Amino acid sequence: MPHLEIADGESLYYEYVAPGSAGKTFVFVNALTGSYQMWEAVIGPKLREAGYGTLVYNFRGQAESRTKPTTPPTPTQIVDDLVRLCRAIDPPKPVLVGLSIGGLFAAQAFAKGVPAAGLVLINTLRKPTERLAWINQAMAHGVAAGGFRLIMELSLPMLVNPDKLAEMKATVQTGEPYAPIDPADGGYRLMVESTATDWDFPWQSLTPPVLLTVGAHDRVFYVADDVDELAARIPNHTRIDFPDAGHLIPAERPETFTAALLDFAGRI
């Protein structure tokens, strides 16, 4: 299994396929609770069929990547790891694609020198408000008290479309007792450290073409006026609204999302 070694006991699991005739490489940046596997279920194979390269990976703290319990998985570390990975792999003509906070990490990596033929921000734009801080802190508290299944059961009806909610019901609403999370759990540590994320990013500094995708069923992080205002700061952006998806657009509507990626990459 390919790993980018960082230090003793510290590495990133990744999978890279060089581009074919299309010449560009999609670099996928997870959300905090994500995995490279989401991108590989439908999206990655279809992009490679069309001649594009793909680079997927997991953060330190996510499955298969390695980290020590004494290493805090801070937002800065995540961005620096993305920079490190892109420099090591050097994918041709990268298009950075980030889900939720992963879009912010992609933008911050670009600001730190990662080249980008384009960026795709999936339900990323949000303002650093007291409301956002409350939500992020409350989610970390919920996971601490009852694990990720508890917070999923509470939040999914406000995050995903009804079809996806029905699909996930059997695995989330199991009836099993909730249990506190192990404080050493990598995903939990990522959530705790993420409460220090600086969301005050200068979106006007994104000079490459940017595709913004917004899911109408996201009733937690999507604030229409804030997204409109922040999007207006990005000089060269295209926006696609998904009325039949929520926060997890790539998992909820992978076929439609892949078509949007192909169209965007074909125009830049």
Side-chain angles (χ1 to χ4, degrees), residues 156-217:
L156 281 175
M158 298 175 289
L159 283 173
V160 302
N161 74 77
D163 295 339
K164 191 66 175 179
L165 191 64
E167 176 189 323
M168 300 178 74
K169 183 174 182 178
T171 56
V172 176
Q173 292 187 326
T174 64
E176 295 293 321
Y178 301 108
I181 196 78
D182 179 352
D185 180 87
Y188 171 65
R189 294 171 64 222
L190 282 166
M191 289 193 74
V192 170
E193 294 293 340
S194 75
T195 59
T197 299
D198 182 6
W199 283 92
D200 191 20
F201 183 80
W203 298 106
Q204 64 275 11
S205 67
L206 295 182
T207 51
V210 175
L211 174 63
L212 304 174
T213 63
V214 178
H217 286 273

Coordinates of all heavy atoms in Angstrom, one line a residue, residues 156-217:
L156 N -27.7 14.0 10.2 CA -28.0 13.6 8.8 C -29.3 14.1 8.2 O -29.3 14.5 7.0 CB -27.9 12.1 8.6 CG -26.5 11.5 8.6 CD1 -26.5 10.0 8.5 CD2 -25.7 12.1 7.4
P157 N -30.4 14.2 8.9 CA -31.6 14.7 8.3 C -31.5 16.2 7.9 O -32.3 16.6 7.0 CB -32.7 14.6 9.5 CG -32.1 13.5 10.4 CD -30.6 13.7 10.3
M158 N -30.5 16.9 8.4 CA -30.3 18.3 8.0 C -29.2 18.4 7.1 O -28.8 19.5 6.6 CB -30.1 19.2 9.3 CG -31.3 19.2 10.2 SD -30.9 20.1 11.7 CE -29.7 19.0 12.6
L159 N -28.5 17.3 6.7 CA -27.3 17.4 5.8 C -27.5 16.7 4.5 O -26.8 17.2 3.5 CB -26.1 16.7 6.6 CG -25.5 17.5 7.7 CD1 -24.4 16.7 8.4 CD2 -24.8 18.8 7.2
V160 N -28.3 15.7 4.4 CA -28.4 15.0 3.1 C -29.8 14.9 2.6 O -30.8 15.2 3.3 CB -27.8 13.5 3.2 CG1 -26.4 13.6 3.7 CG2 -28.7 12.7 4.2
N161 N -29.9 14.6 1.3 CA -31.2 14.5 0.7 C -32.0 13.3 1.2 O -31.4 12.3 1.7 CB -31.1 14.5 -0.9 CG -30.6 13.1 -1.4 OD1 -31.3 12.2 -1.4 ND2 -29.3 13.1 -1.7
P162 N -33.4 13.3 1.0 CA -34.2 12.2 1.6 C -33.8 10.8 1.1 O -33.9 9.8 1.8 CB -35.6 12.6 1.2 CG -35.5 14.1 1.0 CD -34.2 14.4 0.5
D163 N -33.4 10.7 -0.2 CA -33.0 9.4 -0.7 C -31.8 8.8 0.0 O -31.8 7.7 0.3 CB -32.7 9.5 -2.2 CG -34.0 9.9 -3.1 OD1 -35.1 9.7 -2.6 OD2 -33.8 10.4 -4.2
K164 N -30.8 9.7 0.2 CA -29.6 9.3 0.9 C -29.9 8.9 2.3 O -29.3 8.0 2.9 CB -28.5 10.3 0.8 CG -27.1 9.9 1.2 CD -26.6 8.8 0.3 CE -25.2 8.4 0.6 NZ -24.7 7.4 -0.3
L165 N -30.8 9.7 2.9 CA -31.1 9.5 4.3 C -31.8 8.1 4.5 O -31.4 7.3 5.4 CB -32.1 10.6 4.8 CG -32.4 10.6 6.3 CD1 -31.1 11.0 7.1 CD2 -33.5 11.6 6.6
A166 N -32.7 7.7 3.6 CA -33.3 6.4 3.6 C -32.3 5.3 3.4 O -32.4 4.3 4.1 CB -34.4 6.3 2.6
E167 N -31.3 5.6 2.5 CA -30.3 4.6 2.3 C -29.4 4.3 3.5 O -29.0 3.2 3.7 CB -29.4 5.0 1.1 CG -28.3 4.2 0.7 CD -27.4 4.8 -0.3 OE1 -27.9 5.5 -1.2 OE2 -26.1 4.7 -0.2
M168 N -29.2 5.3 4.3 CA -28.2 5.2 5.4 C -28.9 4.8 6.7 O -28.3 4.5 7.7 CB -27.5 6.6 5.6 CG -26.7 7.1 4.4 SD -25.9 8.7 4.7 CE -24.6 8.2 5.8
K169 N -30.2 4.8 6.7 CA -31.0 4.5 7.9 C -30.6 3.2 8.6 O -30.4 3.2 9.8 CB -32.5 4.5 7.6 CG -33.3 4.4 8.9 CD -34.8 4.5 8.6 CE -35.6 4.4 9.8 NZ -37.1 4.6 9.6
A170 N -30.5 2.1 7.8 CA -30.2 0.8 8.4 C -28.9 0.8 9.1 O -28.7 0.1 10.1 CB -30.3 -0.2 7.4
T171 N -27.9 1.5 8.6 CA -26.5 1.5 9.2 C -26.4 2.5 10.4 O -25.4 2.4 11.1 CB -25.5 1.7 8.2 OG1 -25.7 2.9 7.5 CG2 -25.5 0.6 7.1
V172 N -27.2 3.5 10.4 CA -27.1 4.5 11.5 C -28.1 4.3 12.6 O -27.7 4.3 13.8 CB -27.3 5.9 10.9 CG1 -27.3 7.0 12.0 CG2 -26.3 6.2 9.8
Q173 N -29.3 4.0 12.3 CA -30.3 3.8 13.3 C -30.4 2.3 13.6 O -31.4 1.6 13.3 CB -31.7 4.3 12.9 CG -31.7 5.8 12.8 CD -33.1 6.4 12.6 OE1 -33.9 5.8 11.9 NE2 -33.4 7.6 13.1
T174 N -29.4 1.8 14.3 CA -29.3 0.3 14.5 C -30.0 -0.1 15.8 O -30.2 -1.3 16.0 CB -27.8 -0.1 14.6 OG1 -27.2 0.6 15.7 CG2 -27.1 0.3 13.3
G175 N -30.2 0.9 16.7 CA -30.8 0.5 18.0 C -29.7 0.1 19.0 O -30.1 -0.1 20.2
E176 N -28.5 0.1 18.6 CA -27.4 -0.3 19.6 C -27.2 0.9 20.5 O -27.4 2.1 20.1 CB -26.1 -0.6 18.8 CG -26.2 -1.9 17.9 CD -26.4 -3.1 18.8 OE1 -25.7 -3.2 19.8 OE2 -27.2 -4.0 18.4
P177 N -26.7 0.6 21.7 CA -26.4 1.7 22.7 C -25.3 2.6 22.2 O -24.4 2.1 21.5 CB -26.0 1.0 23.9 CG -26.5 -0.4 23.8 CD -26.5 -0.7 22.3
Y178 N -25.4 3.8 22.5 CA -24.3 4.7 22.1 C -23.2 4.6 23.2 O -23.4 4.3 24.3 CB -24.8 6.2 22.1 CG -25.9 6.4 21.1 CD1 -27.2 6.6 21.5 CD2 -25.6 6.3 19.7 CE1 -28.2 6.8 20.6 CE2 -26.7 6.5 18.8 CZ -28.0 6.7 19.3 OH -29.0 6.9 18.4
A179 N -22.0 4.9 22.7 CA -20.8 4.7 23.7 C -19.9 5.9 23.4 O -19.7 6.4 22.3 CB -20.1 3.4 23.4
P180 N -19.3 6.4 24.5 CA -18.3 7.5 24.3 C -17.2 7.1 23.4 O -16.8 6.0 23.4 CB -17.8 7.8 25.8 CG -18.9 7.2 26.6 CD -19.5 6.1 25.9
I181 N -16.7 8.1 22.7 CA -15.6 7.8 21.8 C -14.2 7.7 22.5 O -14.1 8.3 23.6 CB -15.4 9.0 20.7 CG1 -14.6 8.5 19.5 CG2 -14.9 10.2 21.4 CD1 -15.3 7.7 18.6
D182 N -13.4 6.8 22.0 CA -12.0 6.8 22.6 C -11.3 8.1 22.3 O -11.2 8.5 21.1 CB -11.3 5.6 21.9 CG -9.8 5.4 22.4 OD1 -9.4 6.3 23.2 OD2 -9.2 4.4 22.0
P183 N -10.8 8.8 23.3 CA -10.2 10.1 23.0 C -9.0 10.0 22.1 O -8.6 11.0 21.5 CB -9.7 10.5 24.4 CG -10.6 9.8 25.4 CD -10.9 8.5 24.7
A184 N -8.4 8.8 21.9 CA -7.3 8.6 21.0 C -7.8 8.4 19.5 O -6.9 8.3 18.6 CB -6.4 7.5 21.4
D185 N -9.1 8.3 19.3 CA -9.6 8.0 18.0 C -9.2 9.2 17.0 O -9.3 10.3 17.3 CB -11.1 7.9 18.0 CG -11.7 7.7 16.6 OD1 -11.8 6.5 16.3 OD2 -12.1 8.7 16.0
G186 N -8.6 8.8 15.8 CA -8.1 9.8 14.9 C -9.2 10.7 14.4 O -8.9 12.0 14.3
G187 N -10.3 10.2 14.1 CA -11.4 11.1 13.6 C -11.9 12.1 14.6 O -12.2 13.2 14.3
Y188 N -12.0 11.6 15.9 CA -12.4 12.5 16.9 C -11.3 13.6 17.2 O -11.7 14.8 17.3 CB -12.6 11.7 18.2 CG -12.8 12.6 19.4 CD1 -13.9 13.4 19.5 CD2 -11.9 12.6 20.5 CE1 -14.1 14.2 20.7 CE2 -12.1 13.4 21.6 CZ -13.2 14.2 21.7 OH -13.4 15.0 22.8
R189 N -10.1 13.2 17.1 CA -9.0 14.2 17.3 C -9.0 15.2 16.2 O -8.8 16.4 16.5 CB -7.6 13.5 17.4 CG -7.5 12.6 18.6 CD -6.3 11.7 18.6 NE -5.1 12.6 18.6 CZ -4.0 12.3 17.9 NH1 -4.0 11.3 17.0 NH2 -2.9 13.1 18.0
L190 N -9.3 14.8 15.0 CA -9.4 15.8 13.9 C -10.6 16.8 14.2 O -10.4 18.0 13.9 CB -9.7 15.0 12.6 CG -8.5 14.4 11.9 CD1 -9.0 13.4 10.8 CD2 -7.6 15.4 11.3
M191 N -11.7 16.3 14.7 CA -12.8 17.2 14.9 C -12.5 18.2 16.0 O -12.8 19.4 15.9 CB -14.1 16.4 15.4 CG -14.7 15.6 14.2 SD -16.3 14.9 14.7 CE -17.3 16.5 14.6
V192 N -11.8 17.7 17.1 CA -11.5 18.6 18.2 C -10.5 19.7 17.7 O -10.7 20.9 18.0 CB -10.8 17.8 19.3 CG1 -10.2 18.7 20.4 CG2 -11.9 16.9 20.0
E193 N -9.5 19.3 17.0 CA -8.5 20.3 16.5 C -9.1 21.2 15.5 O -8.7 22.4 15.3 CB -7.3 19.5 15.9 CG -6.5 18.7 16.8 CD -5.8 19.6 17.9 OE1 -5.6 20.8 17.6 OE2 -5.4 19.0 18.9
S194 N -10.2 20.8 14.7 CA -10.7 21.6 13.7 C -11.5 22.8 14.2 O -11.8 23.8 13.5 CB -11.7 20.8 12.8 OG -12.9 20.5 13.5
T195 N -11.8 22.8 15.5 CA -12.5 24.0 16.1 C -11.6 25.2 16.1 O -12.1 26.3 16.2 CB -12.9 23.7 17.5 OG1 -11.8 23.4 18.3 CG2 -13.9 22.5 17.6
A196 N -10.3 25.0 15.8 CA -9.4 26.2 15.7 C -9.2 26.6 14.3 O -8.4 27.5 14.0 CB -8.1 25.8 16.3
T197 N -10.0 26.1 13.3 CA -9.8 26.4 11.9 C -10.1 27.9 11.7 O -11.1 28.5 12.2 CB -10.8 25.6 11.1 OG1 -10.5 24.2 11.2 CG2 -10.7 26.0 9.6
D198 N -9.2 28.5 10.9 CA -9.4 29.9 10.5 C -10.2 30.0 9.2 O -9.7 29.7 8.1 CB -8.1 30.6 10.4 CG -8.2 32.1 10.0 OD1 -9.4 32.6 10.0 OD2 -7.2 32.7 9.7
W199 N -11.5 30.3 9.3 CA -12.4 30.4 8.1 C -12.3 31.8 7.4 O -13.0 32.0 6.4 CB -13.8 30.1 8.5 CG -14.0 28.6 8.7 CD1 -13.9 27.9 9.9 CD2 -14.3 27.6 7.7 NE1 -14.2 26.6 9.7 CE2 -14.4 26.4 8.4 CE3 -14.5 27.7 6.3 CZ2 -14.7 25.2 7.7 CZ3 -14.8 26.6 5.7 CH2 -14.9 25.3 6.3
D200 N -11.5 32.7 7.9 CA -11.5 34.0 7.3 C -10.4 34.0 6.2 O -9.4 34.7 6.3 CB -11.1 35.0 8.4 CG -11.3 36.5 7.9 OD1 -12.0 36.7 6.9 OD2 -10.7 37.4 8.5
F201 N -10.7 33.3 5.1 CA -9.8 33.1 4.0 C -10.1 34.2 3.0 O -11.2 34.6 2.7 CB -10.0 31.7 3.4 CG -9.0 31.5 2.3 CD1 -7.7 31.1 2.5 CD2 -9.4 31.6 0.9 CE1 -6.8 30.8 1.5 CE2 -8.5 31.4 -0.1 CZ -7.2 31.0 0.2
P202 N -9.0 34.8 2.4 CA -9.2 35.8 1.3 C -9.6 35.1 0.0 O -8.8 34.9 -0.9 CB -7.8 36.5 1.2 CG -6.9 35.4 1.6 CD -7.6 34.6 2.7
W203 N -10.9 34.8 -0.2 CA -11.3 34.1 -1.4 C -11.0 34.9 -2.6 O -10.9 34.2 -3.7 CB -12.8 33.9 -1.2 CG -13.2 33.0 0.0 CD1 -13.8 33.4 1.1 CD2 -12.9 31.6 0.1 NE1 -13.9 32.4 2.0 CE2 -13.4 31.3 1.4 CE3 -12.3 30.6 -0.7 CZ2 -13.3 29.9 1.9 CZ3 -12.3 29.3 -0.2 CH2 -12.7 29.0 1.0
Q204 N -10.8 36.2 -2.6 CA -10.5 37.0 -3.8 C -9.1 36.6 -4.3 O -8.7 37.0 -5.4 CB -10.6 38.5 -3.5 CG -9.6 39.0 -2.4 CD -10.1 38.8 -1.0 OE1 -11.1 38.1 -0.7 NE2 -9.4 39.5 -0.1
S205 N -8.3 35.9 -3.5 CA -6.9 35.6 -3.9 C -6.9 34.3 -4.8 O -5.8 33.9 -5.3 CB -6.1 35.3 -2.7 OG -6.5 34.2 -1.9
L206 N -8.0 33.7 -5.0 CA -8.1 32.5 -5.8 C -8.1 32.9 -7.3 O -9.2 33.2 -7.8 CB -9.3 31.6 -5.5 CG -9.3 31.0 -4.1 CD1 -10.5 30.1 -3.9 CD2 -8.0 30.2 -3.8
T207 N -7.0 32.9 -7.9 CA -6.9 33.4 -9.3 C -7.2 32.3 -10.4 O -7.6 32.7 -11.5 CB -5.5 33.9 -9.6 OG1 -4.5 32.9 -9.2 CG2 -5.2 35.2 -8.8
P208 N -7.1 31.0 -10.1 CA -7.5 30.0 -11.1 C -9.0 30.0 -11.2 O -9.7 30.5 -10.4 CB -6.9 28.7 -10.6 CG -6.0 29.0 -9.5 CD -6.4 30.3 -8.9
P209 N -9.5 29.3 -12.3 CA -10.9 29.1 -12.4 C -11.4 28.2 -11.2 O -10.7 27.3 -10.7 CB -11.1 28.3 -13.7 CG -9.9 28.6 -14.4 CD -8.8 28.8 -13.4
V210 N -12.6 28.6 -10.6 CA -13.1 27.9 -9.5 C -14.5 27.5 -9.8 O -15.3 28.2 -10.3 CB -13.1 28.8 -8.2 CG1 -13.8 28.2 -7.0 CG2 -11.7 29.3 -7.9
L211 N -14.8 26.2 -9.5 CA -16.2 25.7 -9.6 C -16.7 25.6 -8.1 O -16.2 24.9 -7.3 CB -16.2 24.3 -10.2 CG -17.6 23.6 -10.3 CD1 -18.6 24.4 -11.1 CD2 -17.4 22.2 -10.8
L212 N -17.9 26.2 -7.9 CA -18.5 26.2 -6.6 C -19.8 25.3 -6.8 O -20.6 25.5 -7.7 CB -19.0 27.5 -6.1 CG -17.9 28.6 -6.0 CD1 -18.6 30.0 -5.7 CD2 -16.9 28.3 -5.0
T213 N -19.9 24.2 -5.9 CA -21.1 23.4 -5.9 C -21.8 23.5 -4.6 O -21.1 23.5 -3.5 CB -20.7 21.9 -6.2 OG1 -19.9 21.4 -5.2 CG2 -20.0 21.8 -7.6
V214 N -23.1 23.7 -4.6 CA -23.9 23.9 -3.4 C -25.1 23.0 -3.4 O -25.8 22.9 -4.4 CB -24.4 25.4 -3.4 CG1 -25.2 25.7 -2.2 CG2 -23.2 26.4 -3.5
G215 N -25.3 22.3 -2.3 CA -26.4 21.4 -2.1 C -27.5 22.0 -1.3 O -27.3 22.5 -0.2
A216 N -28.7 22.1 -1.9 CA -29.8 22.7 -1.3 C -30.3 22.1 0.0 O -30.9 22.7 0.9 CB -31.0 22.8 -2.3
H217 N -30.0 20.8 0.1 CA -30.5 20.0 1.3 C -29.5 20.2 2.5 O -29.8 19.6 3.6 CB -30.7 18.6 1.0 CG -31.9 18.3 0.2 ND1 -33.2 18.1 0.7 CD2 -32.1 18.2 -1.1 CE1 -34.1 17.9 -0.2 NE2 -33.4 18.0 -1.4

